[in-house]
Amino acid sequence: MTALEKATGDVVFKFEPFVLHVLCRELQDAQLLHSVAIDSGFRNSGITVGRGGKITMAVRSTHCLEVPLSHKGRLLVSEEYIEFLIQVANQKMEENI
């Protein structure tokens, strides 16, 4: 809170979702993994095929969180709300695990 109160610009509380990149030998392997990921609730998952034929499957969680806390040095939320955000982010981290 001390650092936040001293901030002069914009401050954003951000929690990044889980991402697992898997290099696959065959497209069918990536497709199988993609199906498993989607069926397991990782709706933002996808397959990328690079120029050299490198096939990458990305398993992505939807557990993200991004909330502005201050603007131009002016705190927009209470300490109680920040504590709530921390609890939410910690819960999302547990779901990632």
Side-chain angles (χ1 to χ4, degrees), residues 1-2 7 11 18-19 23 30 36 38-39 49 52 56 58-60 67 70-71 77 82 88 90 92 94 96:
M1 285 304 298
T2 302
V11 176
F18 165 80
V19 179
L23 187 60
V36 170
I38 296 295
D39 291 345
V49 180
T56 305
V59 180
R60 292 187 185 98
V67 181
S70 71
H71 179 64
V77 298
I82 293 170
V88 171
N90 285 339
K92 289 178 181 295
E94 288 297 319
N96 275 343

Side-chain angles (χ1 to χ4, degrees), residues 7-70:
T8 58
D10 295 352
V11 176
V12 176
F13 183 93
K14 190 171 185 178
F15 177 84
E16 295 285 341
F18 165 80
V19 179
L20 172 67
H21 291 101
V22 180
L23 187 60
C24 300
R25 288 191 175 128
E26 304 290 333
L27 184 56
Q28 65 190 28
D29 298 331
Q31 290 170 329
L32 177 60
L33 181 56
H34 183 259
S35 294
V36 170
I38 296 295
D39 291 345
S40 298
F42 295 99
R43 297 186 310 265
N44 289 345
S45 299
I47 300 170
T48 304
V49 180
R51 289 183 185 169
K54 184 169 101 173
I55 302 165
T56 305
M57 166 56 204
V59 180
R60 292 187 185 98
S61 169
T62 58
H63 297 112
C64 61
L65 179 66
E66 188 170 351
V67 181
L69 300 179
S70 71

